[in-house]
Amino acid sequence: EEILEDFYSKAETDEEKIQLADTTIFLYNQAIAKGKDKNSGYWYAKKAYVMEVWKHAPVEDVINAYITAIQNWPEIPIGFKDRLGLIYIKEMNNQNDYKAKAYDLYSELMEAEPDNDLWRQRLEGIAEDLNELVDFAEKGWNIDKENTEKAWKFANLAMRAEQFERAIVPLEFLVSKLPDVVNYHNQLAKAYRKINNTNKAIESYKTLIQLQPDNREHYFNLALIYKDMDQLSVARSYLNKASN
């Protein structure tokens, strides 16, 4: 492998490069066929790279090669996933589903590396606007309705886009599945308030008080709701609790 890479770096003609690409791919195929061990994912990944960069193979073949590499190498370096994502972005159009696949891939990378701003930039570059990201997230959750991570992704994006009605469905699902997660209840209460579902908002904030009896924000938010309902004495009682 190292010898072939060295030869390729010194090749002067396209014909030489194509021959070396074919030889290297043949080498990787032999390693995959004969190895049958934990290194097969590595060989799949390197084969995909050579197909893309050296051989300029058809896009579908390159995509399938990267997908196979990812499936066979759970610890594959993120750079290989990024290469696949960039191909999706470059080739996406109205006749294929590459935009949705790119969204799913970079969403996973952003979850794996939340501090890496590159993945957020890639996501923002995929969608024409935040509303389209919400649509992608909703489709992803609808396909895998029991997936709490996808439900939260959809809910979080819907809240950011101020699509509070749409956010309520995944948030209600999340609080039913994970009733002790404070953030889900908090976002659900906020969504209820935004659509003026007062009774549900009150119910959510009372649940939050049960979960976090020492958090003044929950009492304060309840006081605001009762104030808007002209129930001033109740509002004052919750303000006193917040103050205490």
Side-chain angles (χ1 to χ4, degrees):
E1 179 190 32
E2 291 176 3
I3 291 169
L4 288 166
E5 287 175 350
D6 183 61
F7 283 170
Y8 185 85
S9 69
K10 297 173 182 176
E12 296 181 354
T13 67
D14 290 341
E15 184 180 1
E16 285 181 290
K17 291 180 179 180
I18 291 172
Q19 289 175 347
L20 286 164
D22 287 338
T23 304
T24 306
I25 290 169
F26 174 80
L27 173 71
Y28 291 147
N29 285 336
Q30 292 299 303
I32 291 165
K34 297 180 183 297
K36 303 295 185 185
D37 61 13
K38 62 182 180 180
N39 293 324
S40 64
Y42 170 86
W43 303 121
Y44 278 119
K46 293 300 293 290
K47 174 185 172 182
Y49 177 85
V50 170
M51 289 175 66
E52 177 198 1
V53 179
W54 292 15
K55 188 175 175 62
H56 305 293
V59 171
E60 283 290 337
D61 293 344
V62 174
I63 287 173
N64 289 333
Y66 275 119
I67 290 173
T68 304
I70 292 167
Q71 291 171 343
N72 283 273
W73 193 2
E75 297 83 25
I76 190 171
I78 279 180
F80 287 108
K81 292 185 177 181
D82 188 31
R83 297 201 71 86
L84 174 59
L86 290 173
I87 294 171
Y88 282 143
I89 292 172
K90 181 181 177 183
E91 301 295 331
M92 65 187 186
N93 56 51
N94 294 330
Q95 280 70 52
N96 59 44
D97 61 349
Y98 290 167
K99 180 181 281 191
K101 288 181 176 179
Y103 169 79
D104 289 340
L105 189 150
Y106 284 113
S107 295
E108 291 176 6
L109 291 180
M110 191 164 67
E111 289 172 7
E113 294 186 345
D115 296 328
N116 190 339
D117 201 47
L118 178 61
W119 311 136
R120 181 188 59 78
Q121 293 174 15
R122 293 272 200 262
L123 277 173
E124 290 177 352
I126 293 167
E128 295 179 7
D129 53 36
L130 183 57
N131 292 328
E132 190 172 20
L133 285 177
V134 177
D135 293 340
F136 285 150
E138 184 177 28
K139 290 176 183 176
W141 183 49
N142 285 335
I143 293 170
D144 190 7
K145 238 0 195 312
E146 291 300 308
N147 190 312
T148 54
E149 291 182 3
K150 290 184 178 180
W152 170 242
K153 189 185 304 175
F154 172 34
N156 187 37
L157 284 168
M159 291 294 286
R160 284 173 53 196
E162 299 186 356
Q163 297 187 28
F164 303 111
E165 286 275 7
R166 293 177 73 182
I168 285 173
V169 175
L171 287 170
E172 287 179 339
F173 165 78
L174 288 166
V175 299
S176 69
K177 288 289 186 180
L178 301 164
D180 295 330
V181 179
V182 170
N183 190 39
Y184 296 157
H185 287 282
N186 217 359
Q187 293 300 310
L188 183 58
K190 180 179 177 181
Y192 284 141
R193 283 185 68 187
K194 291 291 185 179
I195 66 168
N196 296 317
N197 191 333
T198 303
N199 291 334
K200 287 286 191 178
I202 290 172
E203 183 182 324
S204 291
Y205 280 121
K206 287 182 176 179
T207 300
L208 282 164
I209 287 172
Q210 292 175 356
L211 292 171
Q212 289 186 317
D214 296 328
N215 189 324
R216 64 187 178 189
E217 294 296 325
H218 307 325
Y219 299 101
F220 179 72
N221 286 321
L222 261 179
L224 292 179
I225 292 174
Y226 282 114
K227 169 183 166 293
D228 292 339
M229 295 169 64
D230 286 330
Q231 296 186 30
L232 301 183
S233 62
V234 180
R236 278 193 295 271
S237 71
Y238 278 107
L239 283 175
N240 285 329
K241 291 177 181 178
S243 178
N244 291 335

